[in-house]
Amino acid sequence: MPPLFSPFPLRSVTLRNRIGVSPMCMYSATDGLMNDWHLVHLGARAVGGAGLVIVEATAVSPEGRITPDDAGLWSDAHVEPLARINRFMKAHGAVPGMQLAHAGRKAGAASPWKGSGHLADEAGGWATLAPSAVAFSAGLHRVPAAMTPADITRVQADFAAAARRSLAAGTEWMEIHAAHGYLNHQFLSPLSNHRTDAYGGGFENRIRFLLETTRAVRAVWSERLPLTVRLSCTDWVEGGWDIEQSVELSRRLKAEGVDLIDCSSGGAVPDAKIPAAPGYQVPFAAQIRREAGIATAAVGLITAPAQAEAIVREEQADVVLLAREFLRDAYWPAHAAKALGISLSAPPQYARAW
Ligand code: 536
């Protein structure tokens, strides 16, 4: 059995293989409600053989949405549309995961195919929150309000409430989004966090918001189910967040009951020089796994079956997450299995073709 296709147990959940669908924004929800697009997009990849399917960055509050078209989980009305999708994915053998997010200063933008930049209030935009009152870029130019202690408490409660709703919807694998320049990462990085209170300054203060958010989520999330965190392991900027801080943060997160670190990078500032190449973030997953003693997921320009297989075989990561490659091929696990010399058992409807 190729290691890529060995089961992966974490708490009381077992992935049927090491292949996961990375959370990807579909910008296709209305008022945060998931719909048939999400069912077909996510459901097809469960049928395609993924062991784990992580639902896109799902906003914990309306103002935490990247765009007006983001999925959300800020009200009980959001639960049943997600539960329907989760039931389908589970029925087809995938563990249904979810990524909870708050975009902070990057919130309130147009979806990519509608222009990407910040929306004016008249065009459907809204006031944003962040650790410090500093805009992201010329395109995401809205200046956020620096969060007050009351804002911090409220947003952390929003994360916990959304996690509770996700649990009610049947989610079995939770990821807190703390990467890509969104709110949690904005607190971690000295490039976006200029606070002078207990939430800014040195490492201990910059990690405080995420540690407290994690604690609030772990308190309502099931002991039987995995809790994971996505980090940008480096900002790719001198003087920014880096891999050494990510290793130490991973140790602290493990102590809070986090089971796996999903290792991405970038997104804190617009002008970083990112050396994107096949598997360029895999070394971060390997280093955190080795030095923090916690399971990791590798993500980023992973496309080839032999490449994914080597990452797991060489114990650089426990799980590989594919994003764009899964948009090209919903059946990537079945195709990868064939390339590695085994065959997946097909759903009976498709059995004559697999
Ligand atoms: C990739 N993206 C991530 C998104 C949405 C937009 C595209 C997300 O996490 N919600 C990305 C990778 C690295 C840095 C920035 C963006």
Side-chain angles (χ1 to χ4, degrees):
M1 170 76 76
L4 184 62
F5 286 92
S6 63
F8 179 55
L10 200 57
R11 299 215 182 214
S12 71
V13 167
T14 299
L15 307 184
R16 60 183 160 182
N17 57 47
R18 308 305 185 98
I19 303 163
V21 178
S22 188
M24 287 176 278
C25 295
M26 291 288 113
Y27 307 113
S28 300
T30 302
D31 297 327
L33 297 162
M34 291 178 224
N35 55 45
D36 289 358
W37 175 265
H38 305 85
L39 174 69
V40 173
H41 162 64
L42 298 161
R45 283 150 189 82
V47 171
L52 171 67
V53 180
I54 308 178
V55 173
E56 69 192 70
T58 298
V60 301
S61 59
E63 84 274 1
R65 290 174 294 172
I66 303 168
T67 78
D69 311 310
D70 286 22
L73 211 41
W74 62 81
S75 92
D76 292 344
H78 294 102
V79 172
E80 182 47 36
L82 172 63
R84 170 181 177 234
I85 296 165
N86 282 343
R87 282 193 296 270
F88 183 88
M89 293 198 285
K90 224 178 142 172
H92 293 281
V95 168
M98 156 153 290
Q99 185 191 58
L100 286 182
H102 188 300
R105 68 176 178 172
K106 286 184 166 182
S111 292
W113 56 89
K114 299 176 188 170
S116 291
H118 266 146
L119 293 162
D121 287 352
E122 313 81 70
W126 56 83
T128 58
L129 291 172
S132 302
V134 183
F136 176 74
S137 70
L140 296 178
H141 51 74
R142 198 186 267 269
V143 178
M147 289 169 74
T148 64
D151 291 329
I152 287 175
T153 305
R154 190 187 63 252
V155 171
Q156 290 171 340
D158 288 341
F159 268 91
R164 204 183 294 113
R165 292 189 189 100
S166 199
L167 185 65
T171 301
E172 296 182 338
W173 176 291
M174 179 54 68
E175 174 169 285
I176 297 172
H177 198 348
H180 300 170
Y182 298 112
L183 185 64
N184 282 301
H185 183 192
Q186 288 161 29
F187 273 91
L188 297 177
S189 176
L191 305 178
S192 45
N193 182 344
H194 305 155
R195 297 177 76 94
T196 54
D197 66 0
Y199 293 91
F203 172 80
E204 299 288 339
N205 282 0
R206 283 181 282 109
I207 67 172
R208 191 179 311 280
F209 180 77
L210 174 58
L211 289 184
E212 289 178 356
T213 302
T214 301
R215 207 170 293 149
V217 169
R218 187 75 260 185
V220 301
W221 187 241
S222 170
E223 285 291 329
R224 298 174 49 76
L225 299 176
L227 177 61
T228 76
V229 174
R230 173 168 278 186
L231 294 180
S232 278
C233 296
T234 178
D235 289 340
W236 300 110
V237 174
E238 199 65 38
W241 182 259
D242 57 24
I243 181 62
E244 286 74 28
Q245 295 175 78
S246 294
V247 169
E248 182 55 29
L249 172 59
S250 298
R251 295 188 185 110
R252 308 294 187 88
L253 290 168
K254 182 181 177 184
E256 296 292 344
V258 169
D259 302 298
L260 174 143
I261 304 294
D262 175 4
C263 301
S264 191
S265 74
V269 288
D271 47 1
K273 297 275 166 291
I274 302 182
Y280 70 115
Q281 296 174 147
V282 174
F284 300 133
Q287 188 174 343
I288 288 177
R289 193 175 185 278
R290 196 170 59 241
E291 296 182 8
I294 187 167
T296 58
V299 65
L301 295 178
I302 299 170
T303 58
Q307 175 195 17
E309 167 71 3
I311 292 166
V312 177
R313 189 183 60 243
E314 294 165 8
E315 300 187 355
Q316 299 187 86
D318 299 275
V319 175
V320 292
L321 299 177
L322 282 64
R324 284 171 284 178
E325 186 61 12
F326 254 123
L327 299 185
R328 291 182 277 266
D329 182 5
Y331 300 97
W332 191 89
H335 293 145
K338 204 166 235 180
L340 297 171
I342 63 166
S343 70
L344 293 191
S345 65
Q349 297 92 331
Y350 293 178
R352 283 167 178 270
W354 279 31

PDB file of all heavy atoms in Angstrom, residues 23-25 27 56-58 66 70 99 101 103 106 112 136 177 179-182 185 230 232 264-268 274 280-281 324, ligand 1:
ATOM      1  N   PRO A  23      -9.010  23.961   1.746  1.00  0.00           N
ATOM      2  CA  PRO A  23     -10.120  24.917   1.716  1.00  0.00           C
ATOM      3  C   PRO A  23      -9.880  25.966   0.638  1.00  0.00           C
ATOM      4  O   PRO A  23      -8.795  26.538   0.563  1.00  0.00           O
ATOM      5  CB  PRO A  23     -10.076  25.544   3.115  1.00  0.00           C
ATOM      6  CG  PRO A  23      -8.713  25.259   3.648  1.00  0.00           C
ATOM      7  CD  PRO A  23      -8.259  23.988   3.007  1.00  0.00           C
ATOM      8  N   MET A  24     -10.868  26.164  -0.213  1.00  0.00           N
ATOM      9  CA  MET A  24     -10.753  27.153  -1.301  1.00  0.00           C
ATOM     10  C   MET A  24     -12.005  28.001  -1.372  1.00  0.00           C
ATOM     11  O   MET A  24     -13.119  27.475  -1.353  1.00  0.00           O
ATOM     12  CB  MET A  24     -10.585  26.440  -2.644  1.00  0.00           C
ATOM     13  CG  MET A  24      -9.238  25.822  -2.854  1.00  0.00           C
ATOM     14  SD  MET A  24      -9.200  24.908  -4.398  1.00  0.00           S
ATOM     15  CE  MET A  24      -9.957  23.356  -3.900  1.00  0.00           C
ATOM     16  N   CYS A  25     -11.811  29.303  -1.485  1.00  0.00           N
ATOM     17  CA  CYS A  25     -12.954  30.213  -1.591  1.00  0.00           C
ATOM     18  C   CYS A  25     -13.669  30.019  -2.922  1.00  0.00           C
ATOM     19  O   CYS A  25     -13.045  30.068  -3.983  1.00  0.00           O
ATOM     20  CB  CYS A  25     -12.475  31.655  -1.492  1.00  0.00           C
ATOM     21  SG  CYS A  25     -11.783  32.057   0.112  1.00  0.00           S
ATOM     22  N   TYR A  27     -16.586  31.914  -3.437  1.00  0.00           N
ATOM     23  CA  TYR A  27     -17.258  33.201  -3.670  1.00  0.00           C
ATOM     24  C   TYR A  27     -18.615  32.984  -4.339  1.00  0.00           C
ATOM     25  O   TYR A  27     -18.956  33.645  -5.314  1.00  0.00           O
ATOM     26  CB  TYR A  27     -16.366  34.103  -4.541  1.00  0.00           C
ATOM     27  CG  TYR A  27     -14.961  34.292  -4.012  1.00  0.00           C
ATOM     28  CD1 TYR A  27     -13.860  33.768  -4.696  1.00  0.00           C
ATOM     29  CD2 TYR A  27     -14.724  34.988  -2.825  1.00  0.00           C
ATOM     30  CE1 TYR A  27     -12.562  33.938  -4.214  1.00  0.00           C
ATOM     31  CE2 TYR A  27     -13.424  35.168  -2.342  1.00  0.00           C
ATOM     32  CZ  TYR A  27     -12.356  34.642  -3.039  1.00  0.00           C
ATOM     33  OH  TYR A  27     -11.074  34.820  -2.575  1.00  0.00           O
ATOM     34  N   GLU A  56     -14.486  25.605   2.347  1.00  0.00           N
ATOM     35  CA  GLU A  56     -13.800  26.893   2.208  1.00  0.00           C
ATOM     36  C   GLU A  56     -13.830  27.761   3.461  1.00  0.00           C
ATOM     37  O   GLU A  56     -14.698  27.608   4.337  1.00  0.00           O
ATOM     38  CB  GLU A  56     -14.462  27.675   1.091  1.00  0.00           C
ATOM     39  CG  GLU A  56     -15.877  28.149   1.423  1.00  0.00           C
ATOM     40  CD  GLU A  56     -16.605  28.673   0.196  1.00  0.00           C
ATOM     41  OE1 GLU A  56     -16.940  27.834  -0.669  1.00  0.00           O
ATOM     42  OE2 GLU A  56     -16.826  29.883   0.090  1.00  0.00           O
ATOM     43  N   ALA A  57     -12.919  28.738   3.501  1.00  0.00           N
ATOM     44  CA  ALA A  57     -12.895  29.768   4.546  1.00  0.00           C
ATOM     45  C   ALA A  57     -14.324  30.254   4.785  1.00  0.00           C
ATOM     46  O   ALA A  57     -14.948  30.848   3.912  1.00  0.00           O
ATOM     47  CB  ALA A  57     -12.006  30.928   4.112  1.00  0.00           C
ATOM     48  N   THR A  58     -14.828  29.970   5.978  1.00  0.00           N
ATOM     49  CA  THR A  58     -16.216  30.265   6.310  1.00  0.00           C
ATOM     50  C   THR A  58     -16.221  31.308   7.412  1.00  0.00           C
ATOM     51  O   THR A  58     -15.607  31.117   8.468  1.00  0.00           O
ATOM     52  CB  THR A  58     -16.922  28.962   6.728  1.00  0.00           C
ATOM     53  OG1 THR A  58     -16.887  28.058   5.604  1.00  0.00           O
ATOM     54  CG2 THR A  58     -18.363  29.196   7.122  1.00  0.00           C
ATOM     55  N   ILE A  66     -14.335  37.876   3.422  1.00  0.00           N
ATOM     56  CA  ILE A  66     -13.445  38.496   2.434  1.00  0.00           C
ATOM     57  C   ILE A  66     -14.300  39.266   1.439  1.00  0.00           C
ATOM     58  O   ILE A  66     -13.973  40.388   1.061  1.00  0.00           O
ATOM     59  CB  ILE A  66     -12.598  37.432   1.689  1.00  0.00           C
ATOM     60  CG1 ILE A  66     -11.786  36.585   2.669  1.00  0.00           C
ATOM     61  CG2 ILE A  66     -11.675  38.088   0.666  1.00  0.00           C
ATOM     62  CD1 ILE A  66     -11.159  35.332   2.032  1.00  0.00           C
ATOM     63  N   ASP A  70     -18.818  35.225   0.329  1.00  0.00           N
ATOM     64  CA  ASP A  70     -18.215  34.174   1.162  1.00  0.00           C
ATOM     65  C   ASP A  70     -19.275  33.345   1.887  1.00  0.00           C
ATOM     66  O   ASP A  70     -20.332  33.868   2.253  1.00  0.00           O
ATOM     67  CB  ASP A  70     -17.324  34.788   2.246  1.00  0.00           C
ATOM     68  CG  ASP A  70     -16.010  35.310   1.705  1.00  0.00           C
ATOM     69  OD1 ASP A  70     -15.925  35.588   0.504  1.00  0.00           O
ATOM     70  OD2 ASP A  70     -15.075  35.453   2.516  1.00  0.00           O
ATOM     71  N   GLN A  99     -12.985  25.213   7.452  1.00  0.00           N
ATOM     72  CA  GLN A  99     -12.050  26.239   7.877  1.00  0.00           C
ATOM     73  C   GLN A  99     -12.831  27.463   8.330  1.00  0.00           C
ATOM     74  O   GLN A  99     -13.633  28.014   7.568  1.00  0.00           O
ATOM     75  CB  GLN A  99     -11.119  26.631   6.723  1.00  0.00           C
ATOM     76  CG  GLN A  99     -10.034  27.618   7.126  1.00  0.00           C
ATOM     77  CD  GLN A  99      -9.286  28.190   5.934  1.00  0.00           C
ATOM     78  OE1 GLN A  99      -9.882  28.790   5.049  1.00  0.00           O
ATOM     79  NE2 GLN A  99      -7.981  28.004   5.892  1.00  0.00           N
ATOM     80  N   ALA A 101     -12.921  31.387   9.528  1.00  0.00           N
ATOM     81  CA  ALA A 101     -12.067  32.524   9.179  1.00  0.00           C
ATOM     82  C   ALA A 101     -12.692  33.864   9.523  1.00  0.00           C
ATOM     83  O   ALA A 101     -13.921  33.998   9.613  1.00  0.00           O
ATOM     84  CB  ALA A 101     -11.763  32.481   7.680  1.00  0.00           C
ATOM     85  N   ALA A 103     -11.520  37.801   8.036  1.00  0.00           N
ATOM     86  CA  ALA A 103     -10.552  38.408   7.111  1.00  0.00           C
ATOM     87  C   ALA A 103      -9.904  39.672   7.664  1.00  0.00           C
ATOM     88  O   ALA A 103      -8.952  40.193   7.058  1.00  0.00           O
ATOM     89  CB  ALA A 103     -11.224  38.694   5.771  1.00  0.00           C
ATOM     90  N   LYS A 106      -8.555  42.592   5.423  1.00  0.00           N
ATOM     91  CA  LYS A 106      -8.782  42.182   4.032  1.00  0.00           C
ATOM     92  C   LYS A 106     -10.261  41.931   3.738  1.00  0.00           C
ATOM     93  O   LYS A 106     -10.609  41.489   2.642  1.00  0.00           O
ATOM     94  CB  LYS A 106      -7.984  40.906   3.725  1.00  0.00           C
ATOM     95  CG  LYS A 106      -6.475  41.118   3.567  1.00  0.00           C
ATOM     96  CD  LYS A 106      -5.810  39.790   3.172  1.00  0.00           C
ATOM     97  CE  LYS A 106      -4.398  40.002   2.673  1.00  0.00           C
ATOM     98  NZ  LYS A 106      -3.791  38.699   2.251  1.00  0.00           N
ATOM     99  N   PRO A 112     -12.985  37.843  -6.907  1.00  0.00           N
ATOM    100  CA  PRO A 112     -11.949  38.016  -7.942  1.00  0.00           C
ATOM    101  C   PRO A 112     -12.503  38.381  -9.315  1.00  0.00           C
ATOM    102  O   PRO A 112     -11.944  39.232  -9.995  1.00  0.00           O
ATOM    103  CB  PRO A 112     -11.257  36.650  -7.966  1.00  0.00           C
ATOM    104  CG  PRO A 112     -11.483  36.079  -6.615  1.00  0.00           C
ATOM    105  CD  PRO A 112     -12.807  36.600  -6.146  1.00  0.00           C
ATOM    106  N   PHE A 136      -4.101  47.339   3.970  1.00  0.00           N
ATOM    107  CA  PHE A 136      -3.252  46.282   3.405  1.00  0.00           C
ATOM    108  C   PHE A 136      -2.464  46.769   2.196  1.00  0.00           C
ATOM    109  O   PHE A 136      -1.267  46.526   2.086  1.00  0.00           O
ATOM    110  CB  PHE A 136      -4.117  45.078   3.019  1.00  0.00           C
ATOM    111  CG  PHE A 136      -3.351  43.971   2.328  1.00  0.00           C
ATOM    112  CD1 PHE A 136      -2.487  43.149   3.046  1.00  0.00           C
ATOM    113  CD2 PHE A 136      -3.476  43.757   0.955  1.00  0.00           C
ATOM    114  CE1 PHE A 136      -1.767  42.136   2.414  1.00  0.00           C
ATOM    115  CE2 PHE A 136      -2.766  42.747   0.310  1.00  0.00           C
ATOM    116  CZ  PHE A 136      -1.910  41.938   1.052  1.00  0.00           C
ATOM    117  N   HIS A 177      -8.369  29.371  10.533  1.00  0.00           N
ATOM    118  CA  HIS A 177      -7.535  30.038   9.527  1.00  0.00           C
ATOM    119  C   HIS A 177      -6.683  31.110  10.212  1.00  0.00           C
ATOM    120  O   HIS A 177      -7.217  32.120  10.673  1.00  0.00           O
ATOM    121  CB  HIS A 177      -8.422  30.666   8.454  1.00  0.00           C
ATOM    122  CG  HIS A 177      -7.719  31.008   7.164  1.00  0.00           C
ATOM    123  ND1 HIS A 177      -6.349  30.999   7.032  1.00  0.00           N
ATOM    124  CD2 HIS A 177      -8.210  31.361   5.944  1.00  0.00           C
ATOM    125  CE1 HIS A 177      -6.028  31.339   5.778  1.00  0.00           C
ATOM    126  NE2 HIS A 177      -7.142  31.557   5.108  1.00  0.00           N
ATOM    127  N   ALA A 179      -3.683  32.104   8.582  1.00  0.00           N
ATOM    128  CA  ALA A 179      -2.701  32.312   7.512  1.00  0.00           C
ATOM    129  C   ALA A 179      -3.167  33.408   6.556  1.00  0.00           C
ATOM    130  O   ALA A 179      -4.184  34.061   6.772  1.00  0.00           O
ATOM    131  CB  ALA A 179      -2.486  31.003   6.751  1.00  0.00           C
ATOM    132  N   HIS A 180      -2.358  33.615   5.498  1.00  0.00           N
ATOM    133  CA  HIS A 180      -2.733  34.399   4.306  1.00  0.00           C
ATOM    134  C   HIS A 180      -3.132  35.840   4.597  1.00  0.00           C
ATOM    135  O   HIS A 180      -3.887  36.443   3.822  1.00  0.00           O
ATOM    136  CB  HIS A 180      -3.836  33.666   3.516  1.00  0.00           C
ATOM    137  CG  HIS A 180      -3.406  32.315   3.051  1.00  0.00           C
ATOM    138  ND1 HIS A 180      -4.258  31.380   2.510  1.00  0.00           N
ATOM    139  CD2 HIS A 180      -2.177  31.724   3.058  1.00  0.00           C
ATOM    140  CE1 HIS A 180      -3.586  30.276   2.212  1.00  0.00           C
ATOM    141  NE2 HIS A 180      -2.317  30.469   2.544  1.00  0.00           N
ATOM    142  N   GLY A 181      -2.635  36.371   5.716  1.00  0.00           N
ATOM    143  CA  GLY A 181      -2.884  37.787   5.991  1.00  0.00           C
ATOM    144  C   GLY A 181      -4.274  38.093   6.491  1.00  0.00           C
ATOM    145  O   GLY A 181      -4.692  39.259   6.469  1.00  0.00           O
ATOM    146  N   TYR A 182      -5.005  37.086   6.954  1.00  0.00           N
ATOM    147  CA  TYR A 182      -6.324  37.327   7.550  1.00  0.00           C
ATOM    148  C   TYR A 182      -6.168  37.596   9.057  1.00  0.00           C
ATOM    149  O   TYR A 182      -5.032  37.639   9.570  1.00  0.00           O
ATOM    150  CB  TYR A 182      -7.272  36.166   7.214  1.00  0.00           C
ATOM    151  CG  TYR A 182      -7.468  36.084   5.705  1.00  0.00           C
ATOM    152  CD1 TYR A 182      -6.976  35.020   4.958  1.00  0.00           C
ATOM    153  CD2 TYR A 182      -8.087  37.134   5.026  1.00  0.00           C
ATOM    154  CE1 TYR A 182      -7.099  34.998   3.570  1.00  0.00           C
ATOM    155  CE2 TYR A 182      -8.222  37.110   3.643  1.00  0.00           C
ATOM    156  CZ  TYR A 182      -7.723  36.043   2.923  1.00  0.00           C
ATOM    157  OH  TYR A 182      -7.844  36.039   1.553  1.00  0.00           O
ATOM    158  N   HIS A 185      -3.596  35.940  11.481  1.00  0.00           N
ATOM    159  CA  HIS A 185      -2.237  36.195  10.989  1.00  0.00           C
ATOM    160  C   HIS A 185      -1.866  37.676  11.174  1.00  0.00           C
ATOM    161  O   HIS A 185      -0.716  38.001  11.465  1.00  0.00           O
ATOM    162  CB  HIS A 185      -2.168  35.768   9.520  1.00  0.00           C
ATOM    163  CG  HIS A 185      -0.802  35.900   8.886  1.00  0.00           C
ATOM    164  ND1 HIS A 185      -0.622  35.789   7.533  1.00  0.00           N
ATOM    165  CD2 HIS A 185       0.424  36.136   9.399  1.00  0.00           C
ATOM    166  CE1 HIS A 185       0.665  35.943   7.239  1.00  0.00           C
ATOM    167  NE2 HIS A 185       1.326  36.165   8.356  1.00  0.00           N
ATOM    168  N   ARG A 230      -4.273  26.543  10.372  1.00  0.00           N
ATOM    169  CA  ARG A 230      -3.447  26.874   9.194  1.00  0.00           C
ATOM    170  C   ARG A 230      -2.602  28.095   9.510  1.00  0.00           C
ATOM    171  O   ARG A 230      -3.134  29.131   9.904  1.00  0.00           O
ATOM    172  CB  ARG A 230      -4.304  27.121   7.951  1.00  0.00           C
ATOM    173  CG  ARG A 230      -3.491  27.638   6.761  1.00  0.00           C
ATOM    174  CD  ARG A 230      -4.239  27.622   5.432  1.00  0.00           C
ATOM    175  NE  ARG A 230      -4.195  26.278   4.813  1.00  0.00           N
ATOM    176  CZ  ARG A 230      -4.672  26.010   3.599  1.00  0.00           C
ATOM    177  NH1 ARG A 230      -5.243  26.965   2.882  1.00  0.00           N
ATOM    178  NH2 ARG A 230      -4.606  24.787   3.099  1.00  0.00           N
ATOM    179  N   SER A 232       0.533  30.763   8.070  1.00  0.00           N
ATOM    180  CA  SER A 232       1.526  31.190   7.096  1.00  0.00           C
ATOM    181  C   SER A 232       2.854  31.081   7.820  1.00  0.00           C
ATOM    182  O   SER A 232       3.150  31.869   8.721  1.00  0.00           O
ATOM    183  CB  SER A 232       1.262  32.633   6.626  1.00  0.00           C
ATOM    184  OG  SER A 232       0.286  32.658   5.613  1.00  0.00           O
ATOM    185  N   SER A 264       1.104  26.693   5.336  1.00  0.00           N
ATOM    186  CA  SER A 264       1.123  27.516   4.139  1.00  0.00           C
ATOM    187  C   SER A 264       2.092  28.664   4.362  1.00  0.00           C
ATOM    188  O   SER A 264       2.924  28.617   5.280  1.00  0.00           O
ATOM    189  CB  SER A 264      -0.292  28.005   3.831  1.00  0.00           C
ATOM    190  OG  SER A 264      -0.343  28.594   2.544  1.00  0.00           O
ATOM    191  N   SER A 265       2.002  29.720   3.555  1.00  0.00           N
ATOM    192  CA  SER A 265       2.879  30.884   3.753  1.00  0.00           C
ATOM    193  C   SER A 265       2.292  32.083   3.021  1.00  0.00           C
ATOM    194  O   SER A 265       1.401  31.960   2.190  1.00  0.00           O
ATOM    195  CB  SER A 265       4.293  30.596   3.238  1.00  0.00           C
ATOM    196  OG  SER A 265       4.329  30.615   1.825  1.00  0.00           O
ATOM    197  N   GLY A 266       2.824  33.265   3.376  1.00  0.00           N
ATOM    198  CA  GLY A 266       2.520  34.488   2.645  1.00  0.00           C
ATOM    199  C   GLY A 266       1.193  35.135   2.975  1.00  0.00           C
ATOM    200  O   GLY A 266       0.417  34.627   3.784  1.00  0.00           O
ATOM    201  N   GLY A 267       0.975  36.277   2.354  1.00  0.00           N
ATOM    202  CA  GLY A 267      -0.310  36.962   2.458  1.00  0.00           C
ATOM    203  C   GLY A 267      -0.352  38.127   3.426  1.00  0.00           C
ATOM    204  O   GLY A 267      -1.348  38.850   3.466  1.00  0.00           O
ATOM    205  N   ALA A 268       0.721  38.330   4.218  1.00  0.00           N
ATOM    206  CA  ALA A 268       0.685  39.405   5.226  1.00  0.00           C
ATOM    207  C   ALA A 268       0.768  40.775   4.588  1.00  0.00           C
ATOM    208  O   ALA A 268       0.111  41.721   5.033  1.00  0.00           O
ATOM    209  CB  ALA A 268       1.823  39.223   6.236  1.00  0.00           C
ATOM    210  N   ILE A 274       7.736  35.842  -3.163  1.00  0.00           N
ATOM    211  CA  ILE A 274       7.433  34.458  -2.812  1.00  0.00           C
ATOM    212  C   ILE A 274       8.034  33.519  -3.847  1.00  0.00           C
ATOM    213  O   ILE A 274       7.695  33.598  -5.027  1.00  0.00           O
ATOM    214  CB  ILE A 274       5.896  34.263  -2.697  1.00  0.00           C
ATOM    215  CG1 ILE A 274       5.343  35.227  -1.636  1.00  0.00           C
ATOM    216  CG2 ILE A 274       5.567  32.808  -2.366  1.00  0.00           C
ATOM    217  CD1 ILE A 274       3.855  35.118  -1.383  1.00  0.00           C
ATOM    218  N   TYR A 280       7.015  24.137  -2.643  1.00  0.00           N
ATOM    219  CA  TYR A 280       7.906  25.100  -1.952  1.00  0.00           C
ATOM    220  C   TYR A 280       7.596  25.283  -0.473  1.00  0.00           C
ATOM    221  O   TYR A 280       8.449  25.754   0.275  1.00  0.00           O
ATOM    222  CB  TYR A 280       7.891  26.457  -2.675  1.00  0.00           C
ATOM    223  CG  TYR A 280       6.608  27.252  -2.555  1.00  0.00           C
ATOM    224  CD1 TYR A 280       6.591  28.477  -1.885  1.00  0.00           C
ATOM    225  CD2 TYR A 280       5.419  26.797  -3.104  1.00  0.00           C
ATOM    226  CE1 TYR A 280       5.417  29.207  -1.771  1.00  0.00           C
ATOM    227  CE2 TYR A 280       4.255  27.527  -3.001  1.00  0.00           C
ATOM    228  CZ  TYR A 280       4.256  28.727  -2.335  1.00  0.00           C
ATOM    229  OH  TYR A 280       3.098  29.448  -2.223  1.00  0.00           O
ATOM    230  N   GLN A 281       6.390  24.902  -0.029  1.00  0.00           N
ATOM    231  CA  GLN A 281       6.058  25.065   1.393  1.00  0.00           C
ATOM    232  C   GLN A 281       6.247  23.770   2.195  1.00  0.00           C
ATOM    233  O   GLN A 281       6.108  23.776   3.416  1.00  0.00           O
ATOM    234  CB  GLN A 281       4.613  25.571   1.527  1.00  0.00           C
ATOM    235  CG  GLN A 281       4.427  26.958   0.915  1.00  0.00           C
ATOM    236  CD  GLN A 281       3.007  27.479   0.876  1.00  0.00           C
ATOM    237  OE1 GLN A 281       2.791  28.662   1.000  1.00  0.00           O
ATOM    238  NE2 GLN A 281       2.026  26.616   0.660  1.00  0.00           N
ATOM    239  N   ARG A 324      -5.619  23.931  -6.281  1.00  0.00           N
ATOM    240  CA  ARG A 324      -5.924  24.118  -7.697  1.00  0.00           C
ATOM    241  C   ARG A 324      -5.920  22.804  -8.474  1.00  0.00           C
ATOM    242  O   ARG A 324      -6.712  22.646  -9.423  1.00  0.00           O
ATOM    243  CB  ARG A 324      -4.948  25.130  -8.314  1.00  0.00           C
ATOM    244  CG  ARG A 324      -5.288  26.557  -7.909  1.00  0.00           C
ATOM    245  CD  ARG A 324      -4.212  27.538  -8.331  1.00  0.00           C
ATOM    246  NE  ARG A 324      -3.044  27.461  -7.477  1.00  0.00           N
ATOM    247  CZ  ARG A 324      -1.934  28.187  -7.656  1.00  0.00           C
ATOM    248  NH1 ARG A 324      -1.842  29.013  -8.680  1.00  0.00           N
ATOM    249  NH2 ARG A 324      -0.919  28.072  -6.816  1.00  0.00           N
TER     250      ARG A 324
HETATM  251  C1  536 B   1      -4.396  31.976  -1.799  1.00  0.00           C
HETATM  252  N1  536 B   1      -5.697  32.437  -1.485  1.00  0.00           N
HETATM  253  C2  536 B   1      -6.176  32.182  -0.259  1.00  0.00           C
HETATM  254  C3  536 B   1      -7.400  32.589   0.158  1.00  0.00           C
HETATM  255  C4  536 B   1      -8.297  33.310  -0.753  1.00  0.00           C
HETATM  256  C5  536 B   1      -7.609  33.925  -1.914  1.00  0.00           C
HETATM  257  C6  536 B   1      -6.497  33.119  -2.473  1.00  0.00           C
HETATM  258  C7  536 B   1      -7.816  32.278   1.523  1.00  0.00           C
HETATM  259  O1  536 B   1      -7.023  31.746   2.287  1.00  0.00           O
HETATM  260  N2  536 B   1      -9.021  32.561   1.910  1.00  0.00           N
HETATM  261  C8  536 B   1      -3.325  32.720  -1.054  1.00  0.00           C
HETATM  262  C9  536 B   1      -2.193  32.060  -0.687  1.00  0.00           C
HETATM  263  C10 536 B   1      -1.189  32.719  -0.039  1.00  0.00           C
HETATM  264  C11 536 B   1      -1.312  34.040   0.272  1.00  0.00           C
HETATM  265  C12 536 B   1      -2.468  34.727  -0.074  1.00  0.00           C
HETATM  266  C13 536 B   1      -3.476  34.053  -0.749  1.00  0.00           C
END
